[in-house]
């Protein structure tokens, strides 16, 4: 039993779903409501829990101009659900804050396919974190299993300017290092 509140703008009761153990019957549950905790509706509204796992971002880099065809490999995606949405978020550096762009994806046999958006006024490389929404606007950050994390270097070579993923200081006059590869992110690369 969870507490709900009435949302006057939407004209309905709203609650947060509690954690649910996926049993042999799957994640299908019936939702009923009560005003007094004793008398319940008998409308038999179904809600389906599911466990979506994104296992890879392929490719995990592309040009600043956007338009890269990307596949978020995954399992547990709802074939009969709404259009999946993917949020790309970048930190605004010196300006502070964040900028996000949401794009619609398409379900395919391997996961979710989409094209990367372009961020305005982007001249430098950066990593955009990813989040996926399979229903409404409930975005969940993309986190990859440890064994699927991208390497910190390009093509197995040394890190740029001997910098590490932790961002060691570069020698004076050295070129700035490209941002490190981040698991669950897409790296926009400049010239």
């Amino acid at each position: 039993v969870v507490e709900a509140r009435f949302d006057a703008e939407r004209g309905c009761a709203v609650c947060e779903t509690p954690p649910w153990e996926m049993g042999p019957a799957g994640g299908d549950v019936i939702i009923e409501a009560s005003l007094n905790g004793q008398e319940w509706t008998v409308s038999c509204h179904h809600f389906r829990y599911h466990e979506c796992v994104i296992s890879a971002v392929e490719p995990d880099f592309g040009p600043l101009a956007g338009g890269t065809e990307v596949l978020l490999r995954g399992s547990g995606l709802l074939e009969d659900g709404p259009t999946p949405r993917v949020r790309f978020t970048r930190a605004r550096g010196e300006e502070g804050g964040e900028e996000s762009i949401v794009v619609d994806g398409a379900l395919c046999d391997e996961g979710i396919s989409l094209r990367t958006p372009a961020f305005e006024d982007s001249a430098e490389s950066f990593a955009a974190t990813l989040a996926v929404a399979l229903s409404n606007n409930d975005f969940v950050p993309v986190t990859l299993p440890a064994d699927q994390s991208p390497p910190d270097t390009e093509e197995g070579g040394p890190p740029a300017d001997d910098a590490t993923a932790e961002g060691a200081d570069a020698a004076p006059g050295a070129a700035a290092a490209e941002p490190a590869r981040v698991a669950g992110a897409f790296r926009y690369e400049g010239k």
Side-chain angles (χ1 to χ4, degrees), residues 6-165:
F6 183 73
D7 184 330
E9 189 174 299
R10 295 182 356 195
C12 63
V14 178
C15 68
E16 187 172 314
T17 57
W20 193 261
E21 291 289 326
M22 300 289 271
D28 188 44
V29 297
I30 296 173
I31 297 175
E32 301 295 350
S34 173
L35 294 176
N36 62 11
Q38 296 175 1
E39 299 170 59
W40 296 86
T41 60
V42 289
S43 55
C44 198
H45 287 285
H46 289 259
F47 178 84
R48 183 169 41 166
Y49 282 90
H50 63 280
E51 291 192 47
C52 169
V53 176
I54 301 298
S55 57
V57 178
E58 298 174 355
D60 66 348
F61 63 94
L64 289 171
T68 302
E69 183 74 29
V70 173
L71 174 64
L72 302 181
R73 285 197 182 277
S75 61
L77 302 168
L78 296 176
E79 294 176 9
D80 58 348
T83 300
R85 304 178 80 216
V86 179
R87 183 176 63 205
F88 289 71
T89 302
R90 73 169 174 166
R92 296 291 297 178
E94 293 175 10
E95 298 108 41
E98 296 178 334
E99 177 184 7
S100 294
I101 299 176
V102 175
V103 297
D104 287 343
L107 290 176
C108 62
D109 291 341
E110 296 86 19
I112 301 170
S113 65
L114 60 110
R115 287 201 182 276
T116 59
F119 282 83
E120 297 293 322
D121 303 323
S122 296
E124 301 291 326
S125 299
F126 65 92
T129 58
L130 305 178
V132 175
L134 297 177
S135 61
N136 303 321
N137 285 318
D138 299 327
F139 285 91
V140 176
V142 171
T143 55
L144 301 180
D147 62 341
Q148 296 297 314
S149 297
D152 290 328
T153 63
E154 295 286 331
E155 305 295 323
D161 297 324
D162 296 319
T164 65

